[in-house]
Amino acid sequence: MLENFSFRTIVEYLPLFGQGLVTTVWLSALSFAGALAVGIVLSAMNLQRGRLLRVPAKAYIDAVRATPLLAQLYFLYFGLPRLGFILPELVVGILALSLNSGAYVAEIIRAGILSIPRGQVEAGVASGMSYVQRMRLVILPQAFKVTIPPLLGQAIVLVKDSALLSLISVAELTRAGQLLASDRFMPAEGFVTIAAFYLLLYYGLKGLAALSGRWLGSQPARSRA
C-alpha cells in the first residue's frame, strides 16, 4: 500500500514544513495572547449589571460563536480593503483568530469568575476594596486557577483553526503541505505530513493542559502504587 508513498519527497520538503511549523506556533501564540486580552475585556463587560456594556458584549460573543471562522476571516481579508483598511495577510490572520477565539475565552473566564464563592466578593466589598481591586486581588487570581485547563483546550482549537490562514496565503504549516501537493502532485505525502505535525502540537498542548490541572489542584494526581 505504501509502495507509491514517497518518504524521500517528505524529507526533501522538511525545511519548508519546519518553517511552516515555526510560523504556526508563533502565530498561534500571538493570536492566543490577543484572544486573552479580548476575552478579559468582554467577560468584564458581560458581568456588569448595567445593560450599556453587557448587551454589546453579549451580542458580540453570540455573533462570533454563531458564524463560521472562515466567514469572519474572509470578511476581514476582503471586506476591510473595501472600507479603506489594507492590512498584511499575517495581521489579518492574527486579528481573525484573536477576535474569534476571544469570544470563547470570554465565556471561559466568565464561568471561572462566577465559580468564585459570593462570600469572598462580599468580604472584599466589606473591606473597602474597589471593583478593580476586588478583581485584581481576589477574583481573577482564583478564576485563572480554575480556567487555565479549559483555556489550554481553547488554545488547541486555535492552533487547528490557524490552518484556515493558508486560504489567504499565509505561509504556515498547512500551506507547506499544499505547496508539496501542488509542486509534486503528491497530496497524500503533503497532507499526511501536515496531520503528523498537528498531532505533535495537539499532544504537546494536551500534555501541558493535563500538567497544569495537576499543578493547580484541579485534577487529582494519579496514584503511584
Side-chain angles (χ1 to χ4, degrees):
M1 184 176 65
L2 295 177
E3 59 185 11
N4 294 322
F5 194 89
S6 177
F7 290 99
R8 181 178 297 179
T9 303
I10 293 175
V11 172
E12 182 182 340
Y13 274 76
L14 275 182
L16 181 62
F17 281 106
Q19 293 173 8
L21 178 64
V22 170
T23 301
T24 293
V25 169
W26 71 257
L27 186 150
S28 298
L30 280 179
S31 299
F32 191 68
L36 277 176
V38 172
I40 290 171
V41 172
L42 286 174
S43 63
M45 293 171 63
N46 204 14
L47 288 168
Q48 298 299 310
R49 294 186 178 181
R51 295 171 60 87
L52 184 63
L53 294 177
R54 182 166 51 85
V55 171
K58 191 174 187 324
Y60 175 85
I61 291 170
D62 289 343
V64 168
R65 295 176 70 182
T67 55
L69 173 57
L70 182 59
Q72 299 162 21
L73 177 64
Y74 277 172
F75 169 76
L76 294 174
Y77 186 66
F78 295 109
L80 287 184
R82 296 291 300 272
L83 300 175
F85 300 97
I86 300 175
L87 301 174
E89 289 85 355
L90 273 174
V91 175
V92 171
I94 292 171
L95 188 61
L97 291 174
S98 298
L99 294 177
N100 177 272
S101 193
Y104 296 90
V105 169
E107 290 297 278
I108 293 172
I109 294 175
R110 185 175 73 92
I113 291 174
L114 292 177
S115 71
I116 305 303
R118 183 66 185 172
Q120 295 190 29
V121 180
E122 293 173 352
V125 174
S127 63
M129 289 185 179
S130 66
Y131 175 78
V132 174
Q133 288 175 323
R134 293 197 305 272
M135 291 294 289
R136 182 170 60 88
L137 300 175
V138 179
I139 298 173
L140 284 181
Q142 298 181 77
F144 273 117
K145 178 179 177 180
V146 175
T147 58
I148 281 178
L151 284 174
L152 287 173
Q154 181 59 35
I156 292 172
V157 174
L158 187 148
V159 170
K160 293 189 294 183
D161 286 344
S162 69
L164 290 175
L165 303 191
S166 63
L167 299 175
I168 58 171
S169 301
V170 173
E172 44 73 67
L173 189 54
T174 302
R175 184 64 177 169
Q178 290 174 340
L179 289 174
L180 188 157
S182 61
D183 289 350
R184 298 297 183 88
F185 301 102
M186 294 179 174
E189 286 82 350
F191 293 109
V192 166
T193 308
I194 291 171
F197 277 111
Y198 277 115
L199 202 60
L200 268 174
L201 291 173
Y202 167 76
Y203 278 113
L205 287 170
K206 185 180 178 181
L208 186 60
L211 283 175
S212 69
R214 291 174 189 165
W215 290 336
L216 296 170
S218 60
Q219 295 178 358
R222 291 183 181 177
S223 172
R224 296 188 178 181

